[in-house]
Amino acid sequence: MKTKCKRLHVTAIGVNDKGDSYLTTNGNYHPGGCTGEPGNCGCVHAEEELLKVMPNPKVVILSHSPCIKCAEKLWKAGVQTVMYNQMYRKSEGRDFLRDKGVELIYLGNWG
């Protein structure tokens, strides 16, 4: 799946309690397009896209650990486990999920 984000390609896979899965990516940007600016590029995050199509995933697999805003949304959606392949530049999202009892699994730069 390709992204329109100029800065970072992020992928999210969700699995619900029935075993259904869905794949999304970031980059469906807000009006004005992607600026490429870290923290303010204007793109919708992959986790946000995932929660639109799968409101209650139990397991989420991410290419990058979530930012704090996405971590809060994942927790509110009832996600129990978050797996990620690369560390996002800020740790607040990981810290938040860990503090809330969400299982975090670092897959460790598979690519």
Side-chain angles (χ1 to χ4, degrees):
M1 214 171 197
K2 297 236 179 196
T3 179
K4 294 179 181 176
C5 184
K6 296 175 186 175
R7 194 178 78 73
L8 188 64
H9 182 138
V10 179
T11 301
I13 301 169
V15 182
N16 65 18
D17 56 359
K18 296 176 185 176
D20 300 325
S21 62
Y22 205 89
L23 171 85
T24 59
T25 188
N26 65 326
N28 292 325
Y29 45 79
H30 301 289
C34 180
T35 66
E37 179 184 345
N40 193 30
C41 73
C43 292
V44 177
H45 292 198
E47 299 93 332
E48 293 175 295
E49 289 293 317
L50 178 66
L51 293 175
K52 286 180 189 174
V53 295
M54 181 177 272
N56 299 106
K58 295 302 173 200
V59 175
V60 174
I61 305 162
L62 301 168
S63 58
H64 296 75
S65 58
C67 69
I68 185 64
K69 290 180 183 179
C70 287
E72 291 169 350
K73 291 175 184 181
L74 292 172
W75 177 71
K76 286 179 184 174
V79 173
Q80 298 171 352
T81 303
V82 174
M83 300 177 191
Y84 59 96
N85 188 48
Q86 296 179 46
M87 302 268 187
Y88 179 60
R89 61 188 171 86
K90 295 182 178 181
S91 66
E92 291 91 350
R94 294 188 308 272
D95 297 340
F96 174 85
L97 291 172
R98 194 176 297 109
D99 290 346
K100 294 296 186 179
V102 175
E103 179 182 25
L104 289 175
I105 300 172
Y106 175 53
L107 300 172
N109 291 327
W110 280 10

